[in-house]
Amino acid sequence: GAAKEIAEWGNVVLMGPGIGEGRRELVERVLRATRLPMVLDAEAITCFKGEPQALGALLGGRPAILTPHPAELASLLGASTSEVLVRRFEAAAEVARTTGAVVITKGTPTVITAPDGSRLVTGTGNAALAVAGSGDLLAGIAATLLAQREDDPHAAAACAAWAHGRAAELARGMRHTIRGITLEDVTRAISDVWEHWPEPLDGDVLAVLGAAGDAP
């Protein structure tokens, strides 16, 4: 009932953070009750342990983003975390293809993989993103952007991953050290991220180095 009510006014559904283990019935019920775009994180991913096909069937081709860290990605595949760390790119591509969702594989770097196998990579971020709750924040940013760009979940996911990492970098700049940065610092920095959005690169340029003497 609640899921159908949300579908009447909502733009996107985010599930996972804080729902606890063993909540597959809840996740399945919501997925069946609405066709809204979906962002799944944490237990909403791991409750489909070893069954990415089942998750893909429930997603049914809707715009969707999964935001697993390597252990959650491994759980979905029924593999070990060490196996996934060795083949992060291939594992994410397998899940994206099987589920029909864009996969943000959190880590260094963060890899954003589309169902067709295309990938984007972002190196933004720092150790502040290892604190508890950081993944929830990323999922929230992804949901916000997916609501605005459901026509291109790959772009929405990539922008979310970049902004999340860039906010951590700006938070470090405010404290001048990585020590003592809290998730609240990163959250506060998000509003500044949009003021520091990078200019697009020309043509096939992959990166631009700053001039000698530029501030880091």
Side-chain angles (χ1 to χ4, degrees), residues 42-210:
E43 287 83 7
I45 297 173
T46 58
C47 70
F48 290 91
K49 182 177 181 178
E51 299 183 68
Q53 296 88 352
L55 176 56
L58 287 164
L59 289 172
R62 80 184 75 195
I65 298 172
L66 310 182
T67 61
H69 55 57
E72 291 164 348
L73 187 65
S75 176
L76 185 58
L77 286 170
S80 69
T81 302
S82 59
E83 288 176 307
V84 165
L85 287 172
V86 168
R87 49 188 297 270
R88 292 175 71 228
F89 285 77
E90 295 83 0
E94 180 181 344
V95 168
R97 181 178 64 253
T98 303
T99 62
V102 174
V103 178
I104 301 176
T105 310
K106 293 176 283 195
T108 306
T110 292
V111 182
I112 307 95
T113 309
D116 66 2
S118 59
R119 301 184 184 99
L120 296 168
V121 178
T122 176
T124 60
N126 53 43
L129 298 182
V131 301
S134 178
D136 301 353
L137 180 60
L138 171 60
I141 299 170
T144 298
L145 294 177
L146 181 59
Q148 300 172 66
R149 288 301 309 270
E150 63 179 86
D151 62 311
D152 194 346
H154 197 201
C159 288
W162 183 89
H164 185 239
R166 183 60 180 144
E169 294 173 348
L170 293 177
R172 177 180 181 175
M174 289 185 284
R175 286 186 178 270
H176 307 293
T177 175
I178 197 68
R179 295 183 181 274
I181 294 177
T182 66
L183 187 60
E184 287 73 21
D185 294 326
V186 178
T187 302
R188 282 193 294 269
I190 289 173
S191 61
D192 294 327
V193 167
W194 316 117
E195 300 298 324
H196 297 81
W197 197 261
E199 292 295 325
L201 300 177
D202 293 329
D204 296 325
V205 176
L206 297 179
V208 174
L209 298 178

